[in-house]
Amino acid sequence: MSGARRVFGIDLGTTFSCIARVEENGRPVVIPNSENDRTTPSVVYFESEDNVAVGKSARAEAPLSPELVVSAVKRHMGDPEWKRIMQGREVTPTDVSAHILQRLVRDAETITGEAITEAVITCPAYFGVAQKEATKQAGELAGLIVRYVVPEPTAAAVAYGLLETGGDETILVYDLGGGTFDITVLDIKAGSIAVVCTGGDHKLGGRNWDEALAESFAERLATVARVSKQAVKDDKETWEYLMEAAEGVKIGLSSREKVRTVLYHEGTRETVEVTREAFRDLTYGLLENTLMLTEELLKIAREKGHQQIDKMLLVGGSTHMPQVREALERRFPEFRALSFDPDEVVAKGAALMGLKCEMGDSIEALIERGFPREQAERTVAADLGLSLPTVRDLSRKTIRNVTSKSYGTDLYYEDVGRKRCLNLILMDEPVPAEREMRNRTVKDGQTGVSVACIENLERTRDEPFDFDPSWVIGTTHVAFTRPLPRGSQIVVRFTLSEDGLLTVYGEDLTTHQTATAVLRSDALLTAEDMERKRRRNVTIKVTS
């Protein structure tokens, strides 16, 4: 690409991850790993203090050394309480995710011969500020410049909108992955892709189907071995084996009507046969939850003026289960359900977003040098080896997301004698978004104001509602440029970036001086921690 900097796309998944780039013909492709697999298990084995294994080998180690293996860590991103001691060092979800990214990048660099420095990384649509920031920090710990943290359904819609659709459409992306469930309604037009509304459940995915089947296996083994079901489950080696067997049966039932497998526990051996119908009945409640969430989102979409959905796009590896399509077609017969590259479309969409970033930088740089836009686009198309229509289509297309949560702060109300919450930005508002709250200083000589940043699912603004301390995602302190007398007017302003990252500003209205506040959260690493962990990561060997 004539020495141009390439921005890669990474689908950082709960169960599997993959990395993609856009070829010179404008088509996104997934880069296989060192084992020639197109996806890599999101599993990390902490073999020693200075060596970690990521992928198949780590997964194979899970039944043997479960205390040293971490999987499905994406479900815990942004959770300050989730920490593990591995080989004498404390690791967080951010650390584990960084190792997964390091493996993906290392393999891709080996195969492509390119140095990978920049990436667009995907996340579930309903991730809040702390979860998105933690995802971004994982990329930075892996040595990447993270250009964008893009919601997975948006990435899928970008790929679909650029590669498949022939006209204006409103689509619903039903994204059932290994560990998370996303649903998003998007409006696709010739020059834009806009998210209408989004929802989901970050603890609902294919892994739950595995757990339901593994529970039934544990019950069967307990009966045969004449022990309690809990005794079977408490054996970590047995439980890991049952989860692996359950996943194998689930995958087999996607193409067959029945599958047999052998179960083991402390000398007990039992052969079981699972039919597709039995598996569907066993997991009925899980699938029903996704249908209820889909119905709720469609109601919100209709309230926003989107009465008709043209297509339902099935994304995520768990949509391979026949029961998913059957249930969706039964519940929503008016929709056309389309399975669109479910395992790779998110990474490919992220790669296209990366190309958009790359082209945008190059075009703007040429315009600043005096090039007319047409000429700048032609120059970039030639440099990247792409057709002019491809460059025009992608570089000029606007992509608009919405907030996944509402954001506000807590205020003390003297009339009720307690704190209440006041939202400034509501969920499903287009981003970037900015809202402000006016207030006054409460004492003479006040040099700043502390603000609690609250993330919630309430759709109420301008009216205070009951405060829940668990909603606080962090605090900020806005320092004024000078001490202010009591009663001075101040403004606190919340700003959400295009990828949903929060910045808080404060303004002294007597001088109109603005100060930026840093969000401090137990879920996020400080600049000092980031630098320390970067230096440490350089010494850790990541293997296949």
Side-chain angles (χ1 to χ4, degrees):
M1 292 177 62
S2 305
R5 183 179 63 251
R6 196 194 297 259
V7 182
F8 284 66
I10 298 177
D11 176 7
L12 182 60
T14 308
T15 53
F16 289 92
S17 297
C18 60
I19 184 168
R21 67 173 179 178
V22 179
E23 298 286 293
E24 279 76 3
N25 60 7
R27 305 292 292 188
V29 296
V30 164
I31 304 164
N33 63 20
S34 57
E35 295 152 325
N36 205 33
D37 294 324
R38 299 175 71 80
T39 60
T40 299
S42 302
V43 185
V44 179
Y45 167 49
F46 290 84
E47 185 176 8
S48 68
E49 185 179 356
D50 298 314
N51 191 80
V52 300
V54 176
K56 275 185 178 177
S57 63
R59 197 176 185 186
E61 195 67 36
L64 306 175
S65 308
E67 73 284 354
L68 294 175
V69 176
V70 179
S71 61
V73 77
K74 181 175 173 180
R75 287 184 167 184
H76 306 288
M77 291 299 284
D79 179 1
E81 302 299 321
W82 195 99
K83 294 175 182 176
R84 298 287 186 273
I85 302 298
M86 295 291 185
Q87 302 290 9
R89 69 179 174 104
E90 182 181 88
V91 299
T92 67
T94 302
D95 297 316
V96 177
S97 298
H99 292 319
I100 296 168
L101 291 169
Q102 284 175 296
R103 161 84 198 272
L104 292 174
V105 168
R106 185 207 67 191
D107 284 3
E109 286 184 331
T110 301
I111 289 170
T112 65
E114 296 183 45
I116 301 174
T117 58
E118 301 188 34
V120 169
I121 302 177
T122 64
C123 73
Y126 50 81
F127 259 20
V129 166
Q131 294 159 311
K132 288 177 180 175
E133 287 279 11
T135 301
K136 184 178 181 181
Q137 287 189 336
E140 291 169 348
L141 285 181
L144 296 167
I145 297 170
V146 181
R147 295 294 298 271
Y148 207 87
V149 179
V150 61
E152 289 155 6
T154 304
V158 167
Y160 173 75
L162 289 170
L163 302 176
E164 295 294 326
T165 188
D168 295 354
E169 292 181 330
T170 298
I171 67 170
L172 185 146
V173 176
Y174 176 101
D175 183 357
L176 185 61
T180 59
F181 174 60
D182 268 335
I183 32 171
T184 302
V185 174
L186 302 104
D187 211 14
I188 299 179
K189 292 184 170 26
S192 67
I193 295 174
V195 177
V196 176
C197 52
T198 192
D201 186 337
H202 74 290
K203 291 188 176 178
L204 179 61
R207 189 177 177 87
N208 296 88
W209 272 254
D210 299 342
E211 287 171 349
L213 194 52
E215 288 272 355
S216 72
F217 289 166
E219 192 168 344
R220 179 75 170 265
L221 277 174
T223 300
V224 174
R226 297 183 179 181
V227 298
S228 70
K229 178 181 174 182
Q230 195 59 46
V232 175
K233 291 180 63 178
D234 285 344
D235 186 316
K236 290 184 178 180
E237 184 176 334
T238 296
W239 181 249
E240 288 292 340
Y241 174 77
L242 293 182
M243 284 290 289
E244 189 174 318
E247 184 184 25
V249 169
K250 177 187 71 176
I251 292 171
L253 288 172
S254 293
S255 57
R256 295 151 58 192
E257 288 294 331
K258 57 186 178 181
V259 174
R260 299 180 73 197
T261 191
V262 180
L263 311 177
Y264 300 94
H265 173 65
E266 293 186 346
T268 299
R269 181 182 186 276
E270 177 72 359
T271 300
V272 298
E273 181 178 272
V274 183
T275 66
R276 187 180 287 182
E277 182 181 5
F279 181 52
R280 184 181 62 240
D281 293 344
L282 182 68
T283 57
Y284 169 81
L286 298 171
L287 192 54
E288 183 64 21
N289 284 344
T290 74
L291 301 178
M292 290 172 59
L293 288 168
T294 301
E295 286 176 333
E296 290 172 11
L297 193 76
L298 288 170
K299 181 181 177 182
I300 294 170
R302 285 192 290 269
E303 290 171 355
K304 289 176 170 287
H306 292 268
Q307 302 299 324
Q308 180 176 330
I309 304 295
D310 297 300
K311 285 179 188 152
M312 179 181 289
L313 210 63
L314 305 186
V315 174
S318 295
T319 60
H320 287 296
M321 292 187 291
Q323 61 177 268
V324 173
R325 182 186 287 274
E326 291 167 4
L328 288 170
E329 291 178 345
R330 191 165 53 246
R331 185 69 64 89
F332 307 106
E334 69 276 23
F335 299 156
R336 178 188 166 203
L338 174 67
S339 184
F340 181 65
D341 198 6
D343 300 312
E344 300 181 2
V345 65
V346 169
K348 290 177 179 178
L352 287 165
M353 289 284 287
L355 178 62
K356 180 176 171 63
C357 291
E358 184 180 338
M359 290 191 308
D361 289 349
S362 300
I363 290 169
E364 290 306 315
L366 291 172
I367 289 173
E368 286 180 10
R369 288 168 50 191
F371 283 60
R373 176 168 288 276
E374 274 297 318
Q375 186 181 351
E377 289 172 344
R378 287 182 183 278
T379 302
V380 170
D383 185 46
L384 297 179
L386 299 172
S387 70
L388 182 58
T390 297
V391 171
R392 282 178 180 160
D393 188 27
L394 185 55
S395 65
R396 296 186 183 187
K397 190 180 290 291
T398 61
I399 299 169
R400 197 82 183 267
N401 283 309
V402 298
T403 61
S404 57
K405 307 284 175 68
S406 294
Y407 296 94
T409 187
D410 63 332
L411 298 171
Y412 184 80
Y413 287 81
E414 293 184 357
D415 57 336
V416 294
R418 67 177 186 272
K419 285 183 178 181
R420 304 201 76 192
C421 182
L422 188 68
N423 275 335
L424 299 182
I425 297 174
L426 296 187
M427 64 185 300
D428 290 332
E429 281 191 19
V431 288
E434 182 175 284
R435 296 288 185 277
E436 63 182 39
M437 176 182 65
R438 297 196 172 213
N439 217 320
R440 293 180 181 272
T441 53
V442 296
K443 61 183 180 181
D444 284 327
Q446 192 166 331
T447 58
V449 60
S450 293
V451 180
C453 300
I454 294 171
E455 188 177 78
N456 61 87
L457 298 176
E458 300 293 328
R459 296 176 181 270
T460 303
R461 183 166 48 213
D462 300 329
E463 290 293 330
F465 52 93
D466 289 343
F467 167 71
D468 185 335
S470 68
W471 293 343
V472 177
I473 57 171
T475 58
T476 64
H477 183 79
V478 181
F480 303 142
T481 55
R482 63 187 179 89
L484 298 177
R486 180 181 180 181
S488 298
Q489 274 204 330
I490 59 172
V491 168
V492 174
R493 185 177 299 114
F494 278 27
T495 298
L496 274 178
S497 67
E498 287 185 73
D499 48 357
L501 303 181
L502 180 68
T503 304
V504 179
Y505 299 92
E507 183 178 348
D508 163 16
L509 292 184
T510 64
T511 64
H512 294 288
Q513 295 293 310
T514 301
T516 304
V518 176
L519 179 67
R520 291 180 173 82
S521 169
D522 292 339
L524 303 177
L525 298 171
T526 64
E528 294 77 15
D529 288 337
M530 285 289 291
E531 184 55 35
R532 175 177 56 81
K533 292 201 174 210
R534 274 196 201 96
R535 290 197 299 266
R536 172 69 178 129
N537 272 4
V538 172
T539 68
I540 297 174
K541 184 180 180 182
V542 178
T543 61
S544 306

